[in-house]
Amino acid sequence: MSKNIEDAPIIIRGRWRQLSLLGGAMLVDSTEASLASALFPVIRQALGLSLGALGVLTAAGKIVGAFSGPLWVWAARRWSRRAVLAVSIGLWGVWGIAAGFSQNFAQLLIFFTILAAGYAAAHPIVTEIIGDLFDQASRGRAVGLLYGVLALVASVLGPIKGQLANVDDGWRWGLWGIGAFNMLLGAAIWLWFRDPGRGATEPRLAGLDARTREGELTWSRALSLLRIPSFLILLGSRLLSGHLLLGVFAVVFLVDVYGYTTAVASVVLLPYGVGYFLGNFAGGFMADWAVRRSPRHGLVAVLQGAQFGFAAAAFIGTQFDLGSIALFSVFFALMGGMQGVNPGINRPMVMAITPPELRGSAFTVYINIFEAIAWAVFSLGAGFLGDVIGLQVVFLWVLVILMLANGAFLSLLYRTYTPDAERVQQELQARREQAVQDA
C-alpha cells in the first residue's frame, strides 16, 4: 500500500459552501416533522384528534419514506443527485402548502405522507454526498457541524413554531411557509450546487476517471451490504434507538403529563436543540480524538457512551416532576447533547465500512428503512400506549431502559468495526491497481 497515496488528503474546493446548500435540504425535512409534533396539541383540538393520531401521522411519513427513499437514490444514480434534490425538496413543497388547507385528519395524513415521500430523498443522498465532499479525516466534523447547525436552527424555530399556537390557524401558516421555503431552496440547489462525484475524496481513487471511481452498482453488490457485520450491528442499533421518540413527543409529553401549555412546553425545544447542536459539534471532534487515542476501539466507545449518557439524563428529566420548565430545559439540553453525538460518529462509521458506490444504498437502508421502522414502531406504540398507560411509563421503557440495552448491544462493534473498515481500503487499493494495469 502506497503511503503517500494513503496519507494525501483530497480537498474539494468550495466544499463548505456546498455543505450549506445540502443543509437546507436536511432542514426542511426536520422542520416539517417538528412542526407537526410541536403544534400537535393545537392540531388535535382543531381537527378533533386523539393522541394516537400523532403516532399515525409520524409513522406514515416514515413508512412511505422506506419505499420512496430507495427510488430517489436509484433516480440519483440513474440521472443526477442535484436534479433529484431539486425536485424532491423544491417542487415537492407544493404538498406542504396543500397540507395547510386540510379540513380533516384524512386530508392532513394524505398530504403529509406525500410530502414525506419527497423528503425521504434528503438524508441518504445528502449523507452520501458528504462522503464525497470530505475526506475521512474531516467527515466527522462535517457531519457533526451539519447536524449541529440544523439542530440549532430548529431549536430557534421551535419556540417560534410554538407561538403559532396563539395565532388563529397558526399551524396552517406554518405549513404554508415551509412549502414556500422548499420551493425557493429547490431553485437554489439547482442553480448553485456542484456535485463532486462519487469517490471524489478517496485517496486510493485519486486520478482515476469518474466511471472507475464510482464503481459498478448491481443488485448483488447492494445485497452485499447485509454481509458486512458492522453494518448489521449498526442497523440493529437503529431499531433500539429509543431517543428518536423524544423529538416527536417532547411537547405533548410535557402538556399531558405535567400540565404545561403548548406555548410553554415548546420552550424546551430551544435548549434541546442547543444541546443537540453542541453534541453534534463536539461529536465530530470527539471522533477524531477517539481515533487518535484508540484507532481500533475509540469510535465505538464514544458511540456507546452516548447511549448510556442519554438514558441517565432521560431518567431524571422525564420521570420526575422538576417543578419548573427551566429545570426540564436543563435535562432536555443534556438529552439533546447525548443524542447529538450520534450522527458525527455513526454516519462516518457507515462511510468507512462501505465503498463509495454503496454508500447511497447503505444510507437508504440505514435511514429510510431501518430508522423509518424504528420511528414507526416508537411513534405508533407511544401514541396508542400513551392513551392507555400514559406517556411517562412509555418514556421510561423507550428512553431509559431501551437505550441502556442499545448501549450494551453496541459492544459487538469492538470485534467487527476495524476489520470491516480495513477491508474497504483494501478493495479500493485493488481497484486502483487494476485501473493502472488496464491503462
Side-chain angles (χ1 to χ4, degrees), residues 65-145:
F67 293 96
S68 64
L71 294 177
W72 287 120
V73 170
W74 171 82
R77 181 84 186 187
R78 177 66 176 81
W79 289 288
S80 156
R81 293 190 289 195
R82 182 185 68 160
V84 167
L85 287 176
V87 171
S88 63
I89 298 300
L91 294 180
W92 227 256
V94 67
W95 298 107
I97 296 175
F101 289 100
S102 301
Q103 299 301 309
N104 53 55
F105 180 66
Q107 293 178 7
L108 184 66
L109 179 62
I110 291 171
F111 290 132
F112 250 74
T113 302
I114 297 175
L115 192 63
Y119 289 169
H123 274 77
I125 294 177
V126 167
T127 312
E128 178 192 27
I129 294 174
I130 292 174
D132 298 324
L133 284 172
F134 296 87
D135 63 322
Q136 190 166 357
S138 57
R139 285 170 187 163
R141 293 192 297 274
V143 173
L145 183 62

Side-chain angles (χ1 to χ4, degrees), residues 8-321:
I10 298 177
I11 307 301
I12 302 298
R13 185 177 179 180
R15 58 183 184 172
W16 294 104
R17 183 173 62 253
Q18 300 298 319
L19 185 65
S20 65
L21 278 174
L22 298 176
M26 301 277 277
L27 177 64
V28 295
D29 184 9
S30 59
T31 301
E32 170 266 330
S34 61
L35 182 69
S37 59
L39 292 178
F40 182 75
V42 181
I43 298 174
R44 175 172 58 180
Q45 182 178 4
L47 300 181
L49 309 177
S50 67
L51 180 60
L54 177 58
V56 173
L57 200 63
T58 304
K62 296 299 178 181
I63 291 172
V64 73
F67 293 96
S68 64
L71 294 177
W72 287 120
V73 170
W74 171 82
R77 181 84 186 187
R78 177 66 176 81
W79 289 288
S80 156
R81 293 190 289 195
R82 182 185 68 160
V84 167
L85 287 176
V87 171
S88 63
I89 298 300
L91 294 180
W92 227 256
V94 67
W95 298 107
I97 296 175
F101 289 100
S102 301
Q103 299 301 309
N104 53 55
F105 180 66
Q107 293 178 7
L108 184 66
L109 179 62
I110 291 171
F111 290 132
F112 250 74
T113 302
I114 297 175
L115 192 63
Y119 289 169
H123 274 77
I125 294 177
V126 167
T127 312
E128 178 192 27
I129 294 174
I130 292 174
D132 298 324
L133 284 172
F134 296 87
D135 63 322
Q136 190 166 357
S138 57
R139 285 170 187 163
R141 293 192 297 274
V143 173
L145 183 62
L146 173 63
Y147 279 81
V149 170
L150 291 179
L152 187 62
V153 173
S155 68
V156 172
L157 293 176
I160 297 175
K161 289 181 291 185
Q163 301 313 308
L164 290 173
N166 298 323
V167 178
D168 289 340
D169 288 331
W171 63 276
R172 298 184 187 276
W173 285 101
L175 288 170
W176 293 332
I178 290 175
F181 176 74
N182 288 3
M183 301 181 80
L184 291 175
L185 180 63
I189 290 174
W190 178 256
L191 291 173
W192 293 308
F193 177 67
R194 297 295 178 266
D195 194 332
R198 292 177 178 84
T201 56
E202 295 294 342
R204 291 178 175 82
L205 302 182
L208 303 182
D209 62 87
R211 182 175 180 180
T212 303
R213 283 193 288 110
E214 294 192 3
E216 183 181 4
L217 180 60
T218 63
W219 279 108
S220 61
R221 288 282 287 155
L223 291 175
S224 69
L225 288 170
L226 301 180
R227 295 195 294 270
I228 302 173
S230 297
F231 187 62
L232 294 178
I233 295 169
L234 288 170
L235 292 180
S237 177
R238 280 288 85 182
L239 298 180
L240 298 175
S241 297
H243 52 52
L244 297 173
L245 185 67
L246 186 63
V248 178
F249 281 86
V251 173
V252 73
F253 167 79
L254 292 172
V255 170
D256 287 3
V257 176
Y258 294 115
Y260 292 101
T261 65
T262 300
V264 172
S266 65
V267 169
V268 302
L269 297 177
L270 177 57
Y272 171 73
V274 171
Y276 194 87
F277 164 74
L278 295 175
N280 281 146
F281 191 70
F285 288 94
M286 290 172 66
D288 294 338
W289 173 83
V291 169
R292 289 194 300 269
R293 293 283 295 181
S294 177
R296 297 186 66 86
H297 304 310
L299 284 177
V300 180
V302 174
L303 186 62
Q304 188 176 37
Q307 317 312 306
F308 292 140
F310 181 91
F315 179 67
I316 300 174
T318 65
Q319 299 305 303
F320 301 94
D321 187 349

Side-chain angles (χ1 to χ4, degrees), residues 333-380:
L334 290 174
M335 285 185 276
M338 293 298 102
Q339 186 176 355
V341 169
N342 288 278
I345 306 294
N346 57 32
R347 267 62 170 181
M349 289 178 77
V350 173
M351 295 175 192
I353 61 177
T354 55
E357 68 273 13
L358 292 183
R359 286 172 189 157
S361 300
F363 284 113
T364 299
V365 175
Y366 187 68
I367 298 172
N368 289 106
I369 297 179
F370 274 74
E371 188 171 295
I373 292 173
W375 271 101
V377 172
F378 294 142
S379 298
L380 285 173

